Amino acid sequence: MATLILLTGCSTEPSAKSDPRPSDGPPTISASPAGAGRDLAARYRKAGGDADVYGLAHTKNRKGVLVLTVWTRKRSGYGGGFDTFDKTLASFLTREGVSLAQGYVLNVYGPDGTRLHHFDTTVENNS
């Protein structure tokens, strides 16, 4: 019998493997999600998700790892409420048919495009 232990953690520190920032500044992304990202965020909010989320996208990187990107109006992130936010988001995405079984990398960006959270649940980074 095999047992899998999944340890998770949230950090505002970037991962060296997936850090999108230039070497001289904080990690950033476009402050405006694409149309599909706005539509998915609207469904998330309607389903009871965080009202501050205005963009939500999921894709796989070149290694096949699921990458979730969230745009929020919050300027300083979720603090102690991040675990609740993550669980609510994961539950919504699962209902939308997104498989989270192999883990995921979640990046949350504020309204100015600055990364507020980097959360990696992949087995590779939590074993």
Side-chain angles (χ1 to χ4, degrees):
M1 179 166 110
T3 303
L4 175 66
I5 298 174
L6 182 64
L7 302 173
T8 61
C10 177
S11 170
T12 57
E13 293 300 313
S15 165
K17 294 180 185 175
S18 63
D19 189 1
R21 74 176 156 178
S23 61
D24 61 346
T28 61
I29 194 168
S30 168
S32 300
R38 290 189 303 269
D39 294 344
L40 185 58
R43 291 197 308 273
Y44 167 71
R45 289 189 311 270
K46 186 174 182 180
D50 184 344
D52 287 320
V53 171
Y54 65 93
L56 178 56
H58 57 88
T59 189
K60 291 196 175 183
N61 67 15
R62 56 184 132 73
K63 292 184 177 181
V65 174
L66 181 64
V67 177
L68 307 175
T69 304
V70 173
W71 290 264
T72 181
R73 289 181 185 86
K74 293 186 184 294
R75 296 192 180 281
S76 61
Y78 289 87
F82 184 82
D83 287 340
T84 301
F85 167 74
D86 176 58
K87 288 176 185 172
T88 303
L89 178 64
S91 177
F92 167 76
L93 290 171
T94 300
R95 289 191 309 272
E96 287 280 312
V98 178
S99 174
L100 305 177
Q102 299 300 314
Y104 53 92
V105 175
L106 169 61
N107 288 297
V108 180
Y109 294 91
D112 64 354
T114 299
R115 186 166 66 187
L116 304 175
H117 295 281
H118 175 79
F119 186 59
D120 189 342
T121 70
T122 59
V123 175
E124 174 183 303
N125 291 311
N126 291 299
S127 53

